[in-house]
Amino acid sequence: VINLDLPPAERWTVLTKEKAPQIRDMIAEIKAFAGAFGNGSIIAAVDKYLAPLADTLPYPFADEVKGIAKATNIPLGEVVLFNIFYEVFSFCTSIVAQDPTGKLFHARNLDFGLFLGWDIKNETWALTEKLRPIVVNLDWQRGGKTVFKSVNFAGYVGLLTAIKPQTFTYTMN
């Protein structure tokens, strides 16, 4: 549950504390990939240049990202990196279909991490394997009632896939 009645800096605390080791593993994989470029200078710049980007995020995202960094003890720049990484390395697909009775179906894959290091042992993309343990189904509530539901990565403050029952579905590709 993400309680929208809580201050933004506290909304993700319970979930991200629980998933902190897996989030750290996933960020380490991103850093290992990025570190292969520029002799490690990209990684050195993450905390210096990405942490201040948190202050440029619109409300409530800046406070949510800062709250995640605090709850997980992960440097703010690394949490920002995770939250903007989707914009650079995502190749997701969504499908919306309707059956003959008019019932709608909304499906999608989460190819976040595609092309980021082939894992020969598991025959899959390395980052994808690090993301699996942090996939969560969230119930976003206000006043103790569900406002919408989403499939997220723990610690990712945006919405990739969401549904407001009987109203709409949403996908960001």
Side-chain angles (χ1 to χ4, degrees), residues 116-136:
L116 298 182
W118 184 252
D119 181 340
I120 296 169
K121 180 181 175 187
N122 294 313
E123 296 184 353
T124 188
W125 300 108
L127 184 58
T128 300
E129 291 305 308
K130 297 296 183 180
L131 288 164
R132 283 186 210 282
I134 62 171
V135 172
V136 290

Side-chain angles (χ1 to χ4, degrees), residues 11-162:
R11 292 177 183 163
W12 293 88
T13 299
V14 172
L15 174 63
T16 57
K17 275 187 176 183
E18 175 187 324
K19 295 285 189 177
Q22 294 89 353
I23 295 170
R24 277 191 208 94
D25 284 348
M26 183 273 312
I27 290 173
E29 190 69 34
I30 292 173
K31 288 171 57 179
F33 175 77
F37 300 96
N39 297 325
S41 61
I42 293 173
I43 296 306
V46 166
D47 286 317
K48 182 177 181 180
Y49 296 108
L50 290 186
L53 280 179
D55 289 325
T56 69
L57 297 172
Y59 179 85
F61 303 118
D63 289 344
E64 289 180 327
V65 168
K66 290 175 184 177
I68 291 166
K70 181 179 178 183
T72 60
N73 291 314
I74 296 172
L76 180 58
E78 294 179 17
V79 175
V80 171
L81 174 66
F82 172 39
N83 275 272
I84 64 172
F85 204 71
Y86 181 87
E87 301 301 326
V88 180
F89 289 102
S90 62
F91 300 95
C92 296
T93 303
S94 294
I95 299 169
V96 178
Q98 186 174 16
D99 74 8
T101 68
K103 184 176 181 181
L104 293 175
F105 296 88
H106 181 171
R108 71 106 28 101
N109 64 2
L110 288 171
D111 288 338
F112 191 27
L114 192 62
F115 306 124
L116 298 182
W118 184 252
D119 181 340
I120 296 169
K121 180 181 175 187
N122 294 313
E123 296 184 353
T124 188
W125 300 108
L127 184 58
T128 300
E129 291 305 308
K130 297 296 183 180
L131 288 164
R132 283 186 210 282
I134 62 171
V135 172
V136 290
N137 292 309
L138 298 177
D139 188 4
W140 299 75
Q141 295 184 356
R142 184 173 282 124
K145 295 187 179 187
T146 298
V147 178
F148 59 93
K149 297 179 180 195
S150 70
V151 177
N152 273 62
F153 295 111
Y156 181 84
V157 299
L159 292 175
L160 300 173
T161 305

